[in-house]
Amino acid sequence: MQDIEIEDTKEYKTAFSSSLRYLTYRARTKKEIINYLTKKGYQDNIIHKIVNKLIDINYINDDEFVINFIYNSMNNQSKGRLSITNELLEKGISEEIINRHIHLYSEDKEIAIANTIACKFFYNNSHLPMKQIKNKLYNRLMRRGFSKNSIDSVFQFL
């Protein structure tokens, strides 16, 4: 009975519309929706009800979000596994979900992407001394979240 009453309130309808509008820009995690609605000043019981409804209708799915995020970060942004993991943790994804899907980004794929970055970096900085190129490349790969093993594999070919 109380659930029906909550869904009939103007505040619930406004909050639900607001959350749908927020989801139109890009996929969101459960935590992002909760934070958004909290900042808007909605009550916890309404937020909880909306989040559950969005999950039920599959507008929020943290597993799908992680899979898409990994593929996008890997293929379009050339990020390392560590960077992807940290960004997902910041977005409120649990370590369990991340660990369930991070295998989609294999170490071999990470090494291949790091090699591509290294080739472009060498081409654009060939005028610099080799030691300086190696230092800058190492720092760039670390900032992008590549593992020490992947970086070492890249440097084996230099």
Side-chain angles (χ1 to χ4, degrees):
M1 181 82 177
Q2 189 176 4
D3 290 342
I4 295 170
E5 292 173 9
I6 289 175
E7 290 182 9
D8 288 338
T9 64
K10 183 176 180 179
E11 184 178 13
Y12 174 86
K13 291 176 182 177
T14 306
F16 189 74
S17 295
S18 183
S19 65
L20 290 177
R21 200 172 322 106
Y22 188 57
L23 283 166
T24 60
Y25 297 110
R26 67 170 178 83
R28 307 285 179 173
T29 65
K30 179 179 173 181
K31 181 182 177 189
E32 287 177 316
I33 295 292
I34 291 170
N35 290 345
Y36 175 76
L37 293 173
T38 302
K39 285 180 186 175
K40 290 277 195 178
Y42 294 108
Q43 298 173 8
D44 288 342
N45 61 340
I46 290 176
I47 293 171
H48 179 72
K49 190 75 177 156
I50 288 171
V51 168
N52 286 339
K53 183 170 183 172
L54 291 172
I55 290 170
D56 288 344
I57 60 176
N58 206 28
Y59 281 20
I60 299 175
N61 187 328
D62 284 353
D63 282 299
E64 286 182 20
F65 182 90
V66 168
I67 292 168
N68 291 330
F69 190 86
I70 289 171
Y71 280 121
N72 183 48
S73 297
M74 176 176 58
N75 296 323
N76 299 334
Q77 298 173 346
S78 302
K79 292 182 181 178
R81 290 165 51 121
L82 296 172
S83 177
I84 292 170
T85 300
N86 288 335
E87 287 182 39
L88 288 169
L89 287 170
E90 287 175 10
K91 292 183 178 295
I93 303 293
S94 70
E95 287 185 40
E96 176 189 339
I97 294 174
I98 295 170
N99 291 334
R100 194 165 47 228
H101 298 293
I102 197 67
H103 72 279
L104 298 170
Y105 191 1
S106 68
E107 191 171 341
D108 292 339
K109 181 71 172 171
E110 185 179 53
I111 292 169
I113 291 171
N115 276 326
T116 303
I117 293 170
C119 289
K120 288 179 185 177
F121 189 83
F122 267 100
Y123 180 77
N124 292 330
N125 295 288
S126 59
H127 62 282
L128 296 173
M130 183 58 95
K131 185 174 182 175
Q132 191 175 9
I133 291 173
K134 285 183 177 182
N135 286 337
K136 287 184 175 212
L137 177 59
Y138 181 86
N139 290 333
R140 173 169 286 179
L141 292 173
M142 286 298 287
R143 278 192 311 273
R144 287 196 174 186
F146 289 91
S147 68
K148 180 92 168 86
N149 290 341
S150 297
I151 295 172
D152 289 343
S153 294
V154 169
F155 276 83
Q156 283 179 348
F157 299 111
L158 300 181

